[in-house]
Amino acid sequence: MNIALITGASGLIGSESVKFFSDKFDLIIGIDNNQRVYFFGNEASTENTKLNLIKSFPNYKHFDADIRDYIALEKIFSEYSNDIKLIVHTAAQPSHDWAAKEPFVDFNINATGTLNLLELTRKYAPNTVFIFTSTNKVYGDTPNNLPLIEFEKRYEIDNNHEYYLNGIDEKMSVDQTKHSLFGASKLSADIFVQEYGRYFGIKTGIFRGGCLTGPNHAGAQLHGFLSYLVKCAMTNVPYTIFGYKGKQVRDNIHSYDLVNMFWHFYQAPRIAEVYNAGGGRHSNCSMIEAIDQINILSGKNLLYTIVDDNRIGDHIWWISDVSKFKKHYPNWNYKYDLNDILTQIIEKFN
Ligand SMILES: NC(=O)c1ccc[n+]([C@@H]2O[C@H](COP(=O)([O-])OP(=O)(O)OC[C@H]3O[C@@H](n4cnc5c(N)ncnc54)[C@H](O)[C@@H]3O)[C@@H](O)[C@H]2O)c1
């Protein structure tokens, strides 16, 4: 039997993974305890997504386990062991602002939870492909030292810089920079996933996400920016932009395109490979540009204020260079761009 095990299965990337892999594996095992409610309140609950997955996919089996609970995880791994051919590990505390509130909770979920999964993989399913959703916050605020130029609606990198054409690649240093506590816990996990590849030979792939997005995000103020922005526009709730005059640039990748990257990696896996994974030059926007575009597409007029204080560790300009991944997997490409993503999120509210 071929099994795909997905942690954070009710979240944005987890649920997209369940959907994507449901016709490619005999059984999909999902692990998610709806911890998102603890982080962001009931509006961010992923319970409905879980129920939909159970209803929609007969080969889906859900476990309400906590990835911090090694014993609960071991029961699952020991039962299915070598039948597990793919692990997509997305469960996490995902917000850098939230991490400072409860550093131990953040670290235990992001770092120790990942180590639990790696160790159980080594023990019960060493031939599996292990995919980890890391983050561009592993580079800390180093991108803010790039030569940036202010335009009317966005910051942009100097067009003579090597990152101008395709964005920031994986060679950027992860050291001696301010990560936020979230960035530090994710970097710990990122390095552990690399190490279980290099040291034990497990086929591990690390995908350092820009903004991951799509209509299935349970957007909350502290996490899921495009989804939350559209929610504010559609429900007439004012939005606050923190710092950089709203000109900070993020790249946005649809959850489908990211999970499709996982699928390409799974079919020709490598060991301890690290990829930047975002919308790149194909799909990016500043906060102000995103609001303009949402207003055009939705016919609404989102009210917003800009305050001076930026979020600690926030990037002023981030565009992921995905050319390393494209070189390794030339058949992969984007299906969706920013307009498609916004249109889909807006449709959800209509
Ligand atoms: N969304 C983004 O913009 C973004 C950007 C970069 C990296 N990432 C990373 O991608 C991954 C997926 O992000 P997402 O947007 O799908 O997040 P999400 O919050 O939508 O989904 C994560 C899921 O994990 C579950 N979870 C959290 N802690 C758990 C625990 N202890 N045990 C079991 N389940 C638990 C949550 O209930 C939630 O359903 C995360 O690792 C995140 O750090 C996300």
Side-chain angles (χ1 to χ4, degrees), residues 8 10-14 31-36 39 46 65-68 90-94 109 133-135 182 186 209-212 217 223:
S10 318
L12 171 73
I13 302 305
I31 295 175
D32 199 310
N33 64 349
N34 201 8
Q35 187 74 19
R36 201 171 158 88
F39 305 139
T46 54
D66 189 320
I67 59 161
R68 288 169 291 184
T90 80
Q93 188 300 104
I109 293 176
T133 45
S134 185
T135 167
F182 160 77
K186 290 292 280 191
C211 280
L212 317 180
H217 220 181
H223 185 241

Side-chain angles (χ1 to χ4, degrees), residues 40-240:
F40 309 124
N42 285 332
E43 66 163 355
S45 171
T46 54
E47 181 67 13
N48 278 342
T49 309
K50 172 184 105 177
L51 297 175
N52 278 335
L53 293 176
I54 293 169
K55 204 167 71 187
S56 311
F57 302 105
N59 63 340
Y60 178 67
K61 190 163 181 180
H62 190 92
F63 290 86
D64 275 314
D66 189 320
I67 59 161
R68 288 169 291 184
D69 185 346
Y70 186 89
I71 292 168
L73 294 182
E74 186 159 32
K75 277 193 193 135
I76 301 169
F77 272 81
S78 61
E79 184 176 346
Y80 297 103
S81 60
N82 280 321
D83 287 340
I84 302 172
K85 301 293 190 289
L86 168 66
I87 294 174
V88 180
H89 172 35
T90 80
Q93 188 300 104
S95 157
H96 53 162
D97 294 316
W98 194 92
K101 285 208 277 189
E102 298 192 35
F104 283 109
V105 173
D106 176 74
F107 189 85
N108 285 334
I109 293 176
N110 288 354
T112 315
T114 301
L115 182 55
N116 285 341
L117 290 158
L118 287 167
E119 191 47 21
L120 289 165
T121 301
R122 179 165 83 101
K123 201 165 160 189
Y124 292 102
N127 296 319
T128 200
V129 173
F130 190 107
I131 285 169
F132 175 59
T133 45
S134 185
T135 167
N136 60 13
K137 297 294 180 305
V138 300
Y139 302 110
D141 59 8
T142 297
N144 293 354
N145 300 328
L146 293 169
L148 299 178
I149 299 167
E150 185 178 344
F151 287 92
E152 189 195 343
K153 298 208 169 179
R154 65 152 58 197
Y155 283 99
E156 192 42 82
I157 194 165
D158 185 326
N159 61 11
N160 290 316
H161 196 277
E162 57 169 322
Y163 290 155
Y164 179 76
L165 198 58
N166 291 322
I168 298 170
D169 66 19
E170 297 82 359
K171 291 195 284 296
M172 178 169 270
S173 170
V174 295
D175 194 17
Q176 299 183 66
T177 173
K178 190 191 275 180
H179 293 92
S180 82
L181 299 188
F182 160 77
S185 65
K186 290 292 280 191
L187 178 57
S188 311
D190 181 311
I191 287 172
F192 264 107
V193 180
Q194 290 186 54
E195 206 55 39
Y196 269 67
R198 291 205 176 84
Y199 199 91
F200 295 119
I202 295 173
K203 290 162 265 177
T204 58
I206 295 104
F207 292 76
R208 295 178 170 164
C211 280
L212 317 180
T213 185
N216 294 329
H217 220 181
Q221 190 176 13
L222 293 186
H223 185 241
F225 115 90
L226 276 187
S227 169
Y228 186 69
L229 211 48
V230 173
K231 190 179 191 174
C232 289
M234 302 306 278
T235 54
N236 301 318
V237 171
Y239 187 85
T240 307

